[in-house]
Amino acid sequence: MKTHTTNYTNTLIEIAEDSPVSASVIPVVKKDKKTIANYQYEKLSKHPLKYTSDELLFDIFAERNNISPSELEEEKQNFFSKGQACLRTSPLAKKNGFGIFHNQDSKVQLIPAESEEYQKLLKDDSVKKIRAMKSKKNK
């Protein structure tokens, strides 16, 4: 079975071209139910550079689907046997003004768009840059 990955190395996912904000905004919980943005923000703000993209996405999937520890390995293989959307589709980069940096070990951290660190990464030629996906298709 083929395994897909969402990991990047030494890459900054820039905020989306059509982001409604130019500075970071913490996602709000809607109707007492956490969104993907809430899960991602919670994990990445508390534990920068702990997760790879793959680890983060699967961890959230497992948590949201109440996967038991005994099922984790099999579910992980199933999860990555299909291509998964990478963090370019994250609401944090599309709508909440956070860049997402993958370091040389593919570990991920949030970088507020208004920060000096974000500006340094944008100017650093050794860091690959890719834009987050747009929220709306061009007409």
Side-chain angles (χ1 to χ4, degrees):
M1 184 176 344
K2 184 174 169 143
T3 302
H4 298 269
T5 185
T6 63
N7 293 339
Y8 291 99
T9 54
N10 205 34
T11 300
L12 174 66
I13 297 175
E14 298 177 53
I15 65 170
E17 202 175 309
D18 64 348
S19 174
V21 298
S22 57
S24 59
V25 177
I26 296 170
V28 295
V29 176
K30 297 177 181 174
K31 299 178 186 161
D32 297 329
K33 185 169 169 57
K34 282 198 232 178
T35 64
I36 294 292
N38 298 129
Y39 281 102
Q40 290 176 350
Y41 179 79
E42 229 172 61
K43 291 181 183 299
L44 293 176
S45 64
K46 288 180 185 170
H47 307 285
L49 300 176
K50 175 183 178 183
Y51 300 96
T52 65
S53 175
D54 285 352
E55 292 165 343
L56 176 71
L57 295 175
F58 182 73
D59 195 50
I60 292 169
F61 171 80
E63 189 175 333
R64 292 181 79 210
N65 290 283
N66 298 314
I67 296 172
S68 70
S70 64
E71 299 173 307
L72 281 177
E73 201 49 48
E74 183 179 343
E75 288 295 329
K76 188 179 218 172
Q77 286 180 4
N78 290 336
F79 186 77
F80 288 111
S81 70
K82 304 183 243 7
Q84 298 295 325
C86 72
L87 290 176
R88 289 184 60 213
T89 64
S90 170
L92 297 175
K94 288 173 69 170
K95 298 178 181 176
N96 291 91
F98 287 97
I100 302 173
F101 180 65
H102 300 250
N103 72 8
Q104 67 278 3
D105 300 318
S106 298
K107 300 291 185 175
V108 180
Q109 78 181 94
L110 293 177
I111 311 288
E114 72 277 11
S115 70
E116 276 184 41
E117 189 173 3
Y118 186 82
Q119 293 307 313
K120 279 184 193 172
L121 288 168
L122 285 177
K123 293 174 186 165
D124 187 339
D125 290 338
S126 71
V127 174
K128 182 178 176 185
K129 285 94 175 164
I130 52 175
R131 282 259 187 206
M133 303 293 278
K134 290 181 182 180
S135 292
K136 297 178 178 108
K137 292 183 179 179
N138 290 338
K139 296 183 180 187

